[in-house]
Amino acid sequence: MNIEVETYYDHNTSRFLKYDPHYETYGIHREVWGNGVATPQDAFNFVNSLILNIITTHKLESILDLGCGVGGSLFYLAQAYSKPCYYGITISSAQVQISREISKKLNIENQYMILKGDFQKLPDDLPLIDLAFSIEAFVHATDNDTFFNEISTKMKKNGFLIVCDDFISEKAANLPINSSEKKLIELFCKGWVLGSLMSVKEIQTIADKYGYKLIENIDLTPNLRLRRNRDILISLYAIFLKPFIQFSSYFKALVGGDALQKCLIKKLVEYRFLVFQKV
């Protein structure tokens, strides 16, 4: 990843958490209103619950969050199932510091470890992992081959890799370069500082090269609540902020988020939960 991604999260993380209506989840992720979800907090933790189910079903012992933010998913997992060793990697110094403060508050400092680093170059002393997951962080990878190669060297045989993120749809894959839809996708990528935006077929092809078989592919897009009141308000702001995104990483986040909403509504982008197993 490049320095722009680090700066983006160093500058924006405290704002993301401050304006999160459910700050207690400590997650910088989307609400997913899947089966059994009754409250917004449940919706924030829905993807975490899918991961927890895999961990408990297979009785996994070492878990790694690739692009962990301040550790919201790790906090959820550690409190729900304390047996495994939990690790996280984030490129942001600000997120590491915030994570330490929250873990003290929750009294779980000894249940996890968050390290500053790039998930495309994992620490040499990181132990072998049973399951690695990346929630809304994989899109920041600048070299997807390196991503899979790196985690492959740190994963046990039959280990699991979960990627929950945005993927370009088949509908959008062959858009004309000057189409309005293509420009909308580009605005999303620019606003959220994406390293790449892949299709499921493209990530599956790369995963196959490194011995990962796609065993589950869930489209969570229908479970997102789009165009909420706050989203409509941000969309109005985005019209005026677009010319100024080069001056503010927060303006970038708002404009990119608005573009993503429109991409999801137009079915140009899909939000998917992919489970790979190393074979």
Side-chain angles (χ1 to χ4, degrees):
M1 285 184 282
N2 58 41
I3 190 67
E4 190 178 4
V5 176
E6 182 176 358
T7 302
Y8 179 86
Y9 283 106
D10 279 348
H11 288 179
N12 286 327
T13 294
S14 59
R15 291 191 183 102
F16 291 155
L17 292 171
K18 179 180 179 181
Y19 298 122
D20 180 351
H22 303 284
Y23 175 80
E24 66 273 11
T25 66
Y26 305 112
I28 312 174
H29 304 144
R30 276 163 261 182
E31 297 178 26
V32 180
W33 291 81
N35 291 334
V37 170
T39 68
Q41 186 169 354
D42 291 341
F44 271 101
N45 281 319
F46 182 76
V47 171
N48 295 332
S49 70
L50 295 180
I51 296 170
L52 177 63
N53 183 58
I54 295 173
I55 294 171
T56 55
T57 298
H58 297 277
K59 296 181 173 59
L60 304 179
E61 298 178 353
S62 52
I63 314 300
L64 173 63
D65 186 345
L66 301 161
C68 63
V70 301
S73 293
L74 296 175
F75 300 154
Y76 172 89
L77 295 171
Q79 290 175 304
Y81 188 55
S82 61
K83 290 183 180 180
C85 297
Y86 294 100
Y87 304 90
I89 298 287
T90 175
I91 200 168
S92 167
S93 299
Q95 291 182 340
V96 172
Q97 182 57 39
I98 293 171
S99 173
R100 288 172 180 163
E101 294 168 1
I102 296 172
S103 67
K104 289 179 182 178
K105 177 182 175 182
L106 298 177
N107 196 28
I108 56 172
E109 301 107 301
N110 298 326
Q111 290 180 245
Y112 83 106
M113 178 183 295
I114 286 185
L115 305 171
K116 182 181 184 299
D118 186 338
F119 57 50
Q120 294 177 148
K121 187 173 176 54
L122 296 174
D124 293 333
D125 56 352
L126 191 71
L128 290 178
I129 298 298
D130 288 305
L131 180 146
F133 65 92
S134 178
I135 306 175
E136 298 178 33
F138 174 75
V139 286
H140 291 304
T142 53
D143 188 327
N144 297 302
D145 274 270
T146 299
F147 174 90
F148 274 94
N149 180 61
E150 194 70 9
I151 189 58
S152 182
T153 64
K154 293 293 185 181
M155 185 165 287
K156 297 177 185 178
K157 183 180 179 181
N158 299 320
F160 296 90
L161 173 61
I162 297 169
V163 178
C164 182
D165 221 317
D166 297 294
F167 295 90
I168 194 163
S169 68
E170 290 187 22
K171 172 185 176 181
N174 298 308
L175 287 170
I177 194 165
N178 290 321
S179 66
S180 59
E181 291 90 351
K182 187 77 170 179
K183 291 177 180 177
L184 190 61
I185 294 170
E186 290 171 353
L187 184 59
F188 160 48
C189 293
K190 182 178 181 180
W192 275 22
V193 198
L194 305 194
S196 64
L197 184 62
M198 307 181 70
S199 67
V200 172
K201 285 183 179 179
E202 287 172 327
I203 189 175
Q204 191 171 359
T205 298
I206 296 174
D208 285 344
K209 288 166 54 179
Y210 295 94
Y212 286 95
K213 180 182 179 183
L214 181 63
I215 61 173
E216 195 166 7
N217 177 2
I218 305 174
D219 185 4
L220 295 176
T221 317
N223 302 115
L224 301 177
R225 289 189 175 177
L226 305 173
R227 307 312 286 168
R228 300 163 298 176
N229 288 338
R230 63 178 291 195
D231 300 321
I232 294 171
L233 184 61
I234 289 172
S235 188
L236 294 173
Y237 283 135
I239 296 172
F240 301 99
L241 295 177
K242 196 182 300 182
F244 305 103
I245 61 174
Q246 69 269 31
F247 301 115
S248 167
S249 58
Y250 191 59
F251 289 175
K252 248 184 200 176
L254 294 177
V255 172
D258 178 58
L260 170 58
Q261 286 257 329
K262 291 171 181 173
C263 286
L264 290 165
I265 290 169
K266 292 175 179 287
K267 302 186 186 304
L268 304 174
V269 168
E270 299 166 337
Y271 188 63
R272 290 185 174 269
F273 183 88
L274 308 182
V275 182
F276 299 90
Q277 188 168 21
K278 189 176 181 181
V279 297

